[in-house]
Amino acid sequence: MKRRDFLKGCLVSGAAASLCAPSKSWAVGSFEGYPDSMGVLVDTTRCIGCRSCEAACNKEQKLPEPDVPFDDTSVFKEKRRTTEKAYTVVNRYEANDAQKPPYRKMQCNHCNEPGCLTSCFVNAYTKTKEGAVIYNAEVCVGCRTCMVACPFNIPAYSYSSAISPIIKKCIFCYHTRLKFGKPPACVEICPQEALTFGLRSDLIKMGHERIRETPDRYVDHIYGEKEMGGTSWLYLSRVSAEQIGLDTTLGNEPIISNVKDFLGMVPMVLTIWPALFTGIHLLATRNKNHGDVHDNHSEQEDGKK
Amino acid sequence: MQNNRFWLASGMAVLLFAAVPESSRGISVPDTITLNSQSKLYEPFKFDHAKHIILTKECSYCHHHTTGTLEQDSNCVRCHRNSSETKVVSCKGCHRTDSFSAVSMKEKDPKTYHLDKPSLKAAMHRNCISCHEKMKGPIGCQDCHHRTKEGDALYNSGVFAPKKKTAKGGHGAH
């Protein structure tokens, strides 16, 4: 008898759990970014690979001396990535036609729903209302989970520090510039204005307008408008996104969508399950005293009569 | 020698006069223009306007619809097919130096067609470099403007060039 009740309980609780499991639309609504979020439109068709943005970033963020001067173009021989010493790097890619090779600047894309922020268990990351994804180095424990979570391979690690290594990445010049409404250092120095600073919503319009006006110049796509739930940094290109090293397999769902359903269930498990299982327990143990309860009940009824 | 130079200069001036469209005659066309006077990273330099007039023979290549023969670009002729010459023809007359300042961002009237107008710096670099690429002109940064000491410091170049590391992996040291 007990065994049967237990199995019944399991079945009921299983059904209840499946009912409780939130559907995608029911879960936390998708975040499209702050309305006044700033961004940068990177027009790779304009970039001439002068590396001025790298130099400006190095000085603005007080980064260590580079290995080679910033006007040395020999660095384009290999594809570089962001490091603790360089929050932004420009890479040269191969053109598949007679046109000149395209360049692309690489830095944190400042996602609307950052994967690094989602993954950080000490809450070191913040997405500011201006659009920047900043982090508190004092809280960072150097676990490198954000390095794994970042779909764009941006956060770098201060491997050089033996005592307290932490994460290092582009912060959109938040503390020195963005907070005061000023463009980041890289944007300001760009001689070609390949980088355009503005409201993200304006930049998307501007990007589509550039494509419409000069369709021969661009692929009809703004990388970052939808990718990974949208990013503050957006890219225009003459060649396909993968040709300039942008990952096109990421999809449009932000990292948080993969865990949102699960995390949405946690509070329910904590509140509903105790009540549910208590109920099942009471159900399961009720039969034991069934006779007595019934007797009491009938006695009361008799009393009323 | 001096005499020769004089004749050369006057010959150039005559050529220059012939190259300038009739409509532009009468207003003064500068022979040289000092550019980059605001920059800290690069020294100011004299842009040889006269030479570029002779080479391109067409003002509208750089001055768009403001002077020269009419604009040819299919996007521009939609509005500027018959637009007359403007009073202001200088680059800085239309292209702002501070395109990303809070003031200029706020000033942007959504009804304006030319919302995506490059800053003065970008307008010049884009126009000059794209043409120099086509015409096989110089395209290096210091081919046009020499870097200042401050510029060298920013680019970690010249006297500020990083010292070659003697031992590898020494970047951990303080």
Side-chain angles (χ1 to χ4, degrees):
Chain A
M1 193 68 174
K2 252 189 179 172
R3 200 176 113 92
R4 194 196 280 171
D5 281 336
F6 174 75
L7 287 173
K8 212 162 55 185
C10 283
L11 216 74
V12 171
S13 68
S18 69
L19 276 173
C20 287
S23 66
K24 265 209 160 111
S25 56
W26 189 87
V28 193
S30 69
F31 179 62
E32 309 247 307
Y34 291 107
D36 289 332
S37 169
M38 304 304 283
V40 174
L41 180 64
V42 184
D43 193 331
T44 60
T45 67
R46 294 177 179 178
C47 182
I48 49 168
C50 70
R51 298 185 64 213
S52 298
C53 47
E54 292 185 37
C57 176
N58 178 277
K59 299 297 168 301
E60 180 76 20
Q61 296 299 326
K62 300 186 173 64
L63 297 175
E65 187 182 62
D67 295 333
V68 290
F70 284 111
D71 55 1
D72 189 338
T73 52
S74 66
V75 294
F76 293 131
K77 279 182 207 146
E78 54 184 44
K79 300 280 177 291
R80 296 172 298 152
R81 59 151 291 172
T82 50
T83 67
E84 58 171 310
K85 288 167 78 182
Y87 296 170
T88 183
V89 289
V90 178
N91 279 323
R92 184 169 65 199
Y93 296 88
E94 281 71 46
N96 52 356
D97 48 23
Q99 300 257 25
K100 54 180 181 163
Y103 295 91
R104 180 176 65 88
K105 180 186 181 301
M106 173 186 190
Q107 74 299 307
C108 174
N109 287 327
H110 300 274
C111 305
N112 288 344
E113 290 198 81
C116 54
L117 184 148
T118 308
S119 74
C120 183
F121 72 92
V122 291
N123 241 353
Y125 283 96
T126 311
K127 172 81 176 170
T128 73
K129 67 179 193 319
E130 296 89 348
V133 178
I134 56 170
Y135 58 99
N136 184 352
E138 282 170 26
V139 182
C140 176
V141 292
C143 71
R144 287 177 282 168
T145 316
C146 52
M147 289 176 80
V148 181
C150 177
F152 304 108
N153 302 320
I154 293 302
Y157 196 57
S158 52
Y159 286 106
S160 60
S161 170
I163 305 149
S164 59
I166 56 158
I167 286 296
K168 299 257 188 181
K169 76 161 195 78
C170 159
I171 52 165
F172 214 142
C173 291
Y174 180 74
H175 302 293
T176 49
R177 289 164 162 272
L178 188 67
K179 205 160 64 175
F180 309 107
K182 282 181 5 190
C186 53
V187 170
E188 201 166 83
I189 203 167
C190 181
Q192 292 276 97
E193 213 166 278
L195 312 171
T196 308
F197 174 72
L199 282 172
R200 184 177 184 270
S201 51
D202 286 351
L203 294 176
I204 290 170
K205 278 185 221 152
M206 192 182 275
H208 283 299
E209 193 64 12
R210 281 186 199 170
I211 295 167
R212 195 182 70 85
E213 288 236 307
T214 43
D216 302 337
R217 199 181 166 97
Y218 301 104
V219 167
D220 189 7
H221 181 72
I222 302 177
Y223 189 92
E225 183 184 358
K226 299 213 168 73
E227 276 77 6
M228 298 312 288
T231 57
S232 277
W233 281 61
L234 307 153
Y235 299 85
L236 282 174
S237 171
R238 186 178 64 81
V239 293
S240 65
E242 57 259 47
Q243 263 179 280
I244 50 167
L246 290 165
D247 194 343
T248 50
T249 63
L250 295 173
N252 294 341
E253 285 293 325
I255 296 282
I256 196 169
S257 295
N258 299 325
V259 290
K260 208 150 62 173
D261 295 348
F262 164 72
L263 290 177
M265 267 176 68
V266 172
M268 262 179 304
V269 169
L270 291 179
T271 54
I272 296 175
W273 280 27
L276 190 75
F277 287 124
T278 314
I280 291 166
H281 171 75
L282 287 175
L283 261 173
T285 49
R286 194 182 65 157
N287 281 346
K288 250 190 177 167
N289 311 322
H290 183 79
D292 303 341
V293 171
H294 187 78
D295 287 348
N296 289 343
H297 190 67
S298 54
E299 265 170 34
Q300 269 178 2
E301 273 182 347
D302 288 344
K304 267 182 194 167
K305 272 179 188 174
Chain B
M1 191 64 189
Q2 280 291 337
N3 212 17
N4 264 351
R5 277 221 181 130
F6 170 74
W7 284 113
L8 193 74
S10 42
M12 290 255 283
V14 170
L15 268 176
L16 205 156
F17 197 69
V20 176
E22 276 177 346
S23 51
S24 302
R25 284 181 207 165
I27 59 157
S28 63
V29 179
D31 281 350
T32 59
I33 303 161
T34 305
L35 298 177
N36 213 34
S37 47
Q38 302 290 313
S39 172
K40 286 175 191 156
L41 305 174
Y42 291 93
E43 280 164 9
F45 67 101
K46 285 216 163 72
F47 167 70
D48 196 341
H49 194 215
K51 187 182 168 189
H52 283 83
I53 293 172
I54 294 164
L55 284 171
T56 57
K57 296 183 187 67
E58 176 53 71
C59 304
S60 65
Y61 285 168
C62 298
H63 290 281
H64 315 300
H65 61 89
T66 62
T67 186
T69 51
L70 291 174
E71 188 62 68
Q72 312 266 305
D73 191 309
S74 58
N75 273 332
C76 309
V77 294
R78 284 184 282 166
C79 295
H80 293 292
R81 185 187 296 279
N82 296 313
S83 63
S84 50
E85 296 202 351
T86 54
K87 267 186 197 163
V88 178
V89 297
S90 67
C91 305
K92 65 180 176 206
C94 294
H95 296 279
R96 295 187 63 128
T97 48
D98 59 340
S99 59
F100 298 124
S101 72
V103 182
S104 69
M105 301 256 267
K106 222 169 254 173
E107 264 177 21
K108 277 188 178 171
D109 179 0
K111 284 179 189 159
T112 310
Y113 178 76
H114 290 293
L115 272 177
D116 194 5
K117 196 161 61 184
S119 69
L120 185 61
K121 178 174 71 172
M124 287 188 177
H125 279 112
R126 288 215 310 253
N127 219 0
C128 296
I129 294 172
S130 65
C131 191
H132 278 206
E133 276 174 344
K134 258 182 252 156
M135 309 290 284
K136 306 273 179 255
I139 50 168
C141 303
Q142 302 210 64
D143 293 341
C144 286
H145 40 39
H146 287 288
R147 211 159 41 209
T148 59
K149 205 176 170 193
E150 208 179 329
D152 278 345
L154 186 105
Y155 285 88
N156 285 85
S157 197
V159 288
F160 299 95
K163 310 273 175 293
K164 286 271 176 289
K165 283 193 184 93
T166 43
K168 274 213 159 182
H171 57 277
H174 288 285

